[in-house]
């Protein structure tokens, strides 16, 4: 009798377990919402922006390119490499150079009141330039500008949904009132075997090589949102947004804010 009672209890427990499983499986799924996803690291102000002007045909550039690779790996620095084409006559055509890159360096030359361009040149926060191969000069300029209020003064937050990217530029307070919203597209890191010229025979890896530069809008000192289609961003290796003031002559000025929109980290 006791044995049959225990048997009935076991059968009842098994039935309840099976019913519970059916009930769990039949519970309706909660609807999914397409809420913006924000990268926490992209919501903060970076230490600064380093724009390296370099060339595969320049014998002085490999040390700068190696140092730049370190900068490109840091989350608190927006590092962009502009390959220029004016050294191509030395025997090797830079595979990553563009006319826009060279024009940007010449625009900086005029903005700084310089008489010539050179490589490797590192422009820091759009405010000054130093030898791009000198760790002390680059790090020193970033630290000095951060102390003196010439670093990133306007916060930029990047968020995204499945079909768009939102760029929220903050308020300037009593600061500058106008700037361009500049989108800079760059390639994933890639290794290039150089066949001729001053670096002939070397295999060098290049990070964040700029492929295109576009102005997406104007910022007038107040908090404002800008939207980009995700399809356009997905076509590129990576991209960054720069909030850059522009002089009356149209030349690039100080960079007030910056953030990565998409940052590839693979070879």
């Amino acid at each position: 009798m006791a044995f049959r009672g225990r048997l009935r209890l076991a059968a009842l427990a098994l039935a309840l377990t099976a019913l519970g499983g059916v009930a769990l499986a039949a519970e309706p799924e909660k609807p999914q919402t397409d809420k913006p996803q924000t990268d926490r690291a992209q919501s903060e102000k970076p230490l600064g922006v380093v724009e390296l002007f370099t060339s595969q045909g320049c014998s002085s550039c490999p040390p700068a390119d190696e140092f730049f690779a370190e900068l490109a790996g840091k989350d608190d620095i927006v590092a962009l490499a502009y390959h220029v084409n004016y050294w191509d006559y030395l025997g090797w055509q830079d595979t990553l150079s563009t006319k826009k890159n060279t024009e940007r360096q010449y625009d900086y030359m005029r903005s700084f009141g310089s008489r010539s361009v050179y490589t490797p040149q590192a422009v820091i926060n759009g405010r000054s330039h130093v030898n791009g191969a000198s760790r002390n000069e680059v790090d020193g300029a970033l630290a000095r500008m951060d102390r003196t209020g010439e670093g990133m003064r306007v916060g930029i937050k990047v968020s995204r949904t499945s079909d768009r990217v939102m760029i929220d530029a903050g308020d300037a307070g009593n600061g500058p009132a106008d700037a361009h919203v500049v989108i800079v597209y760059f390639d994933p890191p890639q290794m290039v075997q150089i066949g001729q010229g001053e670096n002939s025979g070397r295999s060098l890896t290049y990070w964040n090589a700029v492929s295109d530069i576009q102005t997406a809008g104007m910022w007038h000192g107040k908090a404002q949102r800008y939207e980009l289609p995700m399809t356009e961003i997905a076509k590129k290796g990576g991209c960054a947004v720069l909030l850059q003031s522009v002089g009356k002559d149209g030349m690039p000025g100080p960079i007030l804010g910056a953030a990565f929109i998409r940052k590839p980290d693979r070879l």
Side-chain angles (χ1 to χ4, degrees), residues 27-43:
E27 184 178 353
E29 294 183 0
K30 295 180 180 180
Q32 299 295 319
T33 58
D34 194 12
K35 294 182 179 179
Q37 301 296 315
T38 302
D39 187 335
R40 182 179 300 173
Q42 294 176 349
S43 301

Side-chain angles (χ1 to χ4, degrees), residues 11-266:
L12 179 60
L14 182 61
L16 289 173
T17 301
L19 288 173
V22 171
L24 181 62
E27 184 178 353
E29 294 183 0
K30 295 180 180 180
Q32 299 295 319
T33 58
D34 194 12
K35 294 182 179 179
Q37 301 296 315
T38 302
D39 187 335
R40 182 179 300 173
Q42 294 176 349
S43 301
E44 302 172 357
K45 297 176 185 177
L47 176 62
V49 177
V50 177
E51 297 177 275
L52 176 69
F53 292 91
T54 185
S55 172
Q56 296 170 6
C58 162
S59 61
S60 301
C61 288
D65 297 324
E66 292 175 6
F67 172 46
F68 179 84
E70 297 179 31
L71 297 175
K74 296 183 177 182
D75 290 331
D76 64 341
I77 293 177
V78 175
L80 303 166
Y82 299 82
H83 286 245
V84 298
N85 57 19
Y86 50 78
W87 294 125
D88 289 357
Y89 79 93
L90 294 176
W92 177 256
Q93 184 173 349
D94 192 308
T95 61
L96 301 172
S97 67
T98 70
K99 182 180 179 181
K100 278 188 178 181
N101 290 352
T102 304
E103 290 173 348
R104 184 165 177 82
Q105 188 180 25
Y106 273 92
D107 285 345
Y108 270 130
M109 178 196 75
R110 287 185 280 271
S111 178
F112 296 144
S114 303
R115 294 184 177 181
S116 61
V117 295
Y118 65 94
T119 55
Q121 179 189 40
V123 174
I124 312 298
N125 295 346
R127 295 178 180 271
S128 68
H129 62 98
V130 298
N131 181 352
S134 173
R135 183 185 301 269
N136 289 338
E137 291 185 32
V138 172
D139 289 346
L142 286 167
R144 182 179 66 256
M145 291 183 190
D146 187 49
R147 289 194 307 269
T148 59
E150 295 179 316
M152 301 297 99
R153 301 169 61 180
V154 180
I156 294 180
K157 181 174 69 174
V158 175
S159 56
R160 59 179 61 84
T161 64
S162 60
D163 64 346
R164 72 192 66 186
V165 170
M166 283 77 71
I167 301 168
D168 289 289
D171 195 290
N174 296 325
D178 291 296
H180 286 186
V181 180
V182 181
I183 309 299
V184 183
Y185 296 98
F186 55 88
D187 294 330
Q190 55 188 291
M191 181 178 291
V192 176
Q193 293 183 341
I194 300 175
Q196 299 180 50
E198 294 188 344
N199 292 316
S200 179
R202 303 186 67 167
S203 295
L204 301 171
T205 300
Y206 295 101
W207 291 75
N208 297 7
V210 173
S211 58
D212 196 14
I213 310 166
Q214 298 176 359
T215 299
M218 288 288 296
W219 173 83
H220 299 292
K222 300 298 182 181
Q224 188 170 343
R225 167 169 286 189
Y226 308 86
E227 294 188 3
L228 298 174
M230 194 63 195
T231 52
E232 185 66 21
I233 301 299
K235 294 177 185 177
K236 311 294 183 179
C239 56
V241 56
L242 307 179
L243 199 63
Q244 186 164 28
S245 59
V246 177
K248 294 180 180 179
D249 54 0
M251 295 300 104
I255 296 173
L256 311 175
F260 283 112
I261 299 175
R262 186 182 182 198
K263 181 182 178 184
D265 57 358
R266 58 181 176 80

